Amino acid sequence: MSDISAYFRDFTNALLGIQVTDNSGVRVSLDEGAATAVEMIESLGPVARKAILVGNGGSAAIASHMQNDLCKVVGVRALVFNEAPLLTAISNDDGYESAFPGLVSLWADPDDLLIAISSSGRSENILRSTRAAVERKCQVITFSGFSAQNPLRATGDLNFYVPSDLYGNVEMAHSVLAHFLTDCAMTRALTDQEASQVE
């Protein structure tokens, strides 16, 4: 593919085509889904609860970037499990498909928020992580792509699906979505701070 204009058009179509479903598989509008996701992030607060983010490869990079923004600009506690020594130790002993789920079970508390990111929506360790989070009574937001029938898309309280089978499009759309959610949550946090100072 050498036509960059066509590449950008494909990406724009994927971005504008993002679909959102709830935990019953019922479709909600993109605006409504994004607003709900921001509320879920905002409800964590600075102390009481936390966000846990999981992803592999490029999705791990997106998870780390979002975790950084959640901590630094939104002011909520957030963590990822991308530290190589721990990840390789667990993977070596228990298999990579068990690495993230075991850590989710260790760290997650009721009403925490798991953000699970997988381009294919079929990564076993991500699927197991969502199940572990549900068992711990966490809220779950998923980002996925590729097949509309991918299993990750059926596991979250809120599921964002990018209708594309190109890794670049799906990962870029997930990154843009992550930026939008953290930017909105940051704006709301700043507005709340200003309002409390006025009072």
Side-chain angles (χ1 to χ4, degrees):
M1 181 184 295
S2 59
D3 185 346
I4 194 168
S5 297
Y7 186 84
F8 284 176
R9 279 194 299 274
D10 285 345
F11 171 61
T12 301
N13 290 335
L15 196 60
L16 294 176
I18 292 175
Q19 300 169 17
V20 188
T21 51
D22 64 15
N23 58 1
S24 300
V26 175
R27 186 100 170 252
V28 298
S29 73
L30 181 56
D31 286 333
E32 181 183 349
T36 301
V38 171
E39 288 169 5
M40 292 168 76
I41 291 168
E42 198 177 26
S43 72
L44 296 173
V47 177
R49 294 179 287 145
K50 61 187 172 294
I52 297 171
L53 300 95
V54 292
N56 299 307
S59 297
I62 294 166
S64 289
H65 193 152
M66 191 174 187
Q67 181 254 357
N68 179 75
D69 289 346
L70 287 170
C71 292
K72 184 175 184 298
V73 300
V74 180
V76 300
R77 297 188 305 155
L79 68 156
V80 292
F81 304 126
N82 297 343
E83 185 184 34
L86 178 61
L87 195 56
T88 54
I90 296 172
S91 299
N92 183 66
D93 294 345
D94 302 323
Y96 187 68
E97 68 278 0
S98 300
F100 289 153
L103 291 168
V104 169
S105 295
L106 178 66
W107 284 97
D109 294 308
D111 297 322
D112 281 349
L113 173 62
L114 177 76
I115 300 176
I117 308 170
S118 170
S119 292
S120 70
R122 296 185 181 281
S123 298
E124 187 61 31
N125 63 335
I126 305 301
L127 291 167
R128 289 188 185 191
S129 295
T130 62
R131 291 194 286 271
V134 170
E135 287 173 5
R136 300 288 293 169
K137 302 190 184 318
C138 297
Q139 302 176 88
V140 176
I141 295 174
T142 72
F143 294 3
S144 68
F146 291 15
S147 171
Q149 284 73 47
N150 77 72
L152 184 63
R153 191 182 180 197
T155 63
D157 297 294
L158 198 60
N159 305 284
F160 291 88
Y161 164 72
V162 180
S164 176
D165 58 2
L166 295 177
Y167 267 110
N169 283 349
V170 175
E171 289 180 349
M172 287 188 297
H174 287 169
S175 183
V176 170
L177 177 61
H179 273 289
F180 178 83
L181 298 180
T182 54
D183 286 350
C184 286
M186 174 191 66
T187 301
R188 285 194 182 185
L190 291 173
T191 302
D192 290 345
Q193 286 176 6
E194 291 169 0
S196 65
Q197 289 172 358
V198 171
E199 293 172 0

